[in-house]
Amino acid sequence: MQVDVVIIGTGQAGVPLAARLAAAGRRVVIAERKALGGTCTNYGCTPTKTMVASAQAAHDARRSARLGVKAGPVRVDLAAVVDRKERIVRRWREGVGKRLHRHAPRLTLVRGHARFTGPRRVEVAGRSYEAGIVIVNVGARPAVPKVTGLERVPWLDNATIMELRRVPEHLLVLGGGYIGCEFAQMFRRFGARVTVVDRAERLLEMEEPESSAALAKAFRAEGIALATKTTADSVARSARGITLSLKGGRKVSGSHLLVAVGRRPNTDDLGADAAGIRLDAKGYIEVDERYRTSAEGVYAVGDCTPGPQFTHASWDDHRILFDLLQGHGSRTRDDRLIPITAFTDPQVARIGLTEREARARGHAPEVATMEFGEIARAVETDRTAGTLKILLDPKTERVLGASIVGAEAGELIHIFAPVMAAGLAARAMVDLEYVHPTFAEGVQSLVMSLPRYKIE
Ligand SMILES: Cc1cc2nc3c(=O)[nH]c(=O)nc-3n(C[C@H](O)[C@H](O)[C@H](O)COP(=O)(O)OP(=O)(O)OC[C@H]3O[C@@H](n4cnc5c(N)ncnc54)[C@H](O)[C@@H]3O)c2cc1C
């Protein structure tokens, strides 16, 4: 069957692209082999942040006496937490279905595994589709590390851990990245003992060392055990449940094991060869700044391409590619700022470069740091954990990067975004009024702690 556009995957880019291209008059087929809405809706952002909110409620209830409020003992009903999560996920997923169906008959949703059988020819559910444009939005799935014995223990991934209806006695978390950290703290707050094992020297090793240190301090204060700079050589069932044998001979045992060591793209069963789509060494689809793959007329967006794996990045991919396909695009994949946030407590957020990245690119940045506890609102609300850091290019006065660990850091980081995107001097952030008392005042204080803006 001949159509204008085939889209593989209903991820964060695929769905809006399908809807908008159909609305623009093209005949579109979109294929999905699992749940509508992909990772973010079903196994990523939505369910985790819903459950993080329950974990935060438990934590706040336990700590309320610090603010003079006496509450009774806290008991987490994980089944109720999971049911709430499921209701919200279902609502979002149904929303995706409705959005796609609104554009019928120009837009057709086909359920099943899609595979290239030739250049711009895709087979799904026993039918073959040919199109002038094919867009690949197949996402990624958990990477499985090479740990001896892993295939013989019942380990959990980011999807299955959110199906548990009873709090584990002791959760071992392999991987101290964003996903591992969010689950580690969530389950600690649900009442589990938690041990995080990571091969890196510190949690969230991509982030500033100050950010990692602030998060580790908060984790330790909550009783989360950290085993960093070590790897798991093997894993086996034991009387305690599951035992990890770490490099150097140390063993850690727990009742459950979460594996969160990274992601791998869903490209191994895509028929990339048949289409002439080149993959990199890790299986990611190589694209240029306009999302073009090595196969003419085939584009790739989202987590299956190299680059930061975030919903907002994939969604932005859709905007840029839509404009390019409609012939009025000026932005490309390369000229954008992608803020990031780990939804731990305190949250860890960054925009732009880390100091290490800035220096590697030849910058000699002016640097200022500040403790989150210096912010009045942080003291008043008893949310003092965290730190802030800014990097300034001394020649242009532009912000090269900023990192915030603290309450609502994921919101605060956006204060930098328009300033950086517009190429303004950081002075623009100094000459503003910030509402007192807000966490945002701390961002102004951070900028004003750079020597050039300091006032006594
Ligand atoms: C636990 C967790 C928490 C996260 N939290 C956040 C967060 O807080 N904020 C954030 O920005 N990001 C977060 N992410 C990342 C975010 O979920 C992804 O970056 C986002 O979903 C973008 O995905 P995508 O559009 O590339 O594709 P996906 O959403 O992964 O969708 C790809 C779709 O393609 C389908 N598919 C694959 N192969 C085929 C095929 N051959 N045929 C048919 N269909 C196919 C898949 O079934 C899937 O539905 C999180 C991820 C995880 C795992």
Side-chain angles (χ1 to χ4, degrees):
M1 183 181 180
Q2 185 74 38
V3 294
D4 298 322
V5 184
V6 168
I7 300 176
I8 307 177
T10 62
Q12 296 303 307
V15 171
L17 272 169
R20 294 182 66 194
L21 287 168
R26 306 207 199 201
R27 280 170 307 132
V28 181
V29 164
I30 185 166
E32 175 54 60
R33 67 181 179 188
K34 281 171 80 182
L36 289 183
T39 309
C40 174
T41 306
N42 298 285
Y43 329 101
C45 330
T46 303
T48 52
K49 271 76 242 182
T50 302
M51 290 178 70
V52 161
S54 298
Q56 184 73 48
H59 182 69
D60 291 344
R62 282 189 198 106
R63 283 168 48 99
S64 65
R66 289 170 59 96
L67 283 80
V69 177
K70 301 259 164 46
V74 173
R75 195 183 68 82
V76 173
D77 177 353
L78 189 57
V81 170
V82 170
D83 287 344
R84 172 176 179 269
K85 178 261 299 183
E86 274 307 311
R87 281 195 299 278
I88 293 172
V89 167
R90 204 176 311 125
R91 194 167 130 204
W92 269 208
R93 192 165 50 220
E94 285 169 4
V96 172
K98 282 183 197 150
R99 181 167 189 192
L100 293 174
H101 285 119
R102 257 203 310 275
H103 294 278
R106 268 204 296 269
L107 170 53
T108 309
L109 168 65
V110 186
R111 307 306 294 256
H113 175 78
R115 168 182 273 279
F116 284 95
T117 52
R120 277 171 284 151
R121 197 171 62 237
V122 175
E123 201 174 281
V124 50
R127 291 192 76 163
S128 189
Y129 299 90
E130 292 199 36
I133 295 170
V134 180
I135 302 169
V136 184
N137 179 216
V138 292
R141 63 182 186 279
V144 183
K146 286 198 178 77
V147 178
T148 308
L150 191 61
E151 67 289 355
R152 291 191 292 277
V153 299
W155 55 275
L156 301 161
D157 63 19
N158 62 283
T160 51
I161 194 170
M162 288 190 283
E163 290 166 2
L164 294 179
R165 298 182 72 81
R166 294 210 358 224
V167 178
E169 192 268 316
H170 186 169
L171 178 67
L172 305 176
V173 179
L174 198 56
Y178 310 110
I179 294 174
C181 284
E182 287 184 8
F183 280 121
Q185 189 177 44
M186 179 198 299
F187 276 86
R188 178 68 189 142
R189 291 176 169 193
F190 288 158
R193 285 174 62 203
V194 174
T195 303
V196 181
V197 176
D198 196 281
R199 64 176 171 69
E201 216 163 304
R202 52 191 174 89
L203 300 175
L204 304 183
E205 67 163 336
M206 304 297 287
E207 300 307 319
E208 294 282 13
E210 292 88 344
S211 299
S212 301
L215 186 66
K217 188 174 167 196
F219 272 23
R220 287 200 181 96
E222 290 190 28
I224 298 171
L226 304 179
T228 49
K229 217 177 167 187
T230 186
T231 49
D233 279 342
S234 64
V235 57
R237 280 180 191 266
S238 63
R240 304 271 303 277
I242 294 175
T243 296
L244 285 176
S245 298
L246 307 181
K247 210 167 230 60
R250 188 179 156 201
K251 290 185 192 300
V252 284
S253 298
S255 57
H256 294 67
L257 171 66
L258 168 68
V259 175
V261 296
R263 313 271 300 161
R264 64 179 284 206
N266 292 323
T267 53
D268 31 10
D269 48 4
L270 189 62
D273 275 356
I277 300 171
R278 207 164 44 236
L279 307 180
D280 72 11
K282 291 182 172 167
Y284 289 97
I285 299 176
E286 289 182 4
V287 286
D288 68 6
E289 76 288 357
R290 296 169 160 250
Y291 302 94
R292 289 177 294 210
T293 69
S294 54
E296 205 191 329
V298 180
Y299 302 81
V301 283
D303 287 5
C304 62
T305 61
Q309 298 186 327
F310 294 104
T311 282
H312 43 283
S314 182
W315 187 79
D316 192 47
D317 286 349
H318 118 262
R319 284 198 302 186
I320 299 174
L321 182 57
F322 177 80
D323 286 348
L324 291 170
L325 293 176
Q326 294 296 96
H328 47 71
S330 59
R331 275 201 315 142
T332 69
R333 182 176 188 269
D334 292 349
D335 53 18
R336 58 183 178 166
L337 272 172
I338 302 178
I340 65 105
T341 298
F343 288 84
T344 47
D345 175 25
Q347 293 176 2
V348 179
R350 177 169 53 85
I351 188 163
L353 306 175
T354 61
E355 187 172 347
R356 188 173 54 189
E357 289 168 343
R359 293 194 187 281
R361 292 183 191 193
H363 295 288
E366 267 181 40
V367 181
T369 57
M370 190 185 118
E371 291 305 299
F372 203 80
E374 289 176 41
I375 304 171
R377 182 150 181 86
V379 175
E380 289 150 6
T381 56
D382 192 33
R383 304 191 72 186
T384 52
T387 182
L388 303 96
K389 181 169 179 177
I390 184 171
L391 312 173
L392 195 82
D393 181 346
K395 292 192 206 103
T396 61
E397 251 182 277
R398 289 186 186 177
V399 179
L400 295 169
S403 294
I404 305 177
V405 182
E408 308 300 348
E411 310 288 339
L412 296 175
I413 205 71
H414 291 93
I415 298 173
F416 291 98
V419 176
M420 292 172 73
L424 298 177
R427 154 87 41 206
M429 300 178 72
V430 174
D431 295 338
L432 273 182
E433 285 195 40
Y434 293 71
V435 171
H436 173 76
T438 57
F439 293 121
E441 272 183 319
V443 171
Q444 186 186 37
S445 304
L446 172 71
V447 183
M448 290 180 70
S449 61
L450 285 160
R452 67 178 63 215
Y453 302 130
K454 220 174 191 128
I455 49 175
E456 289 313 318

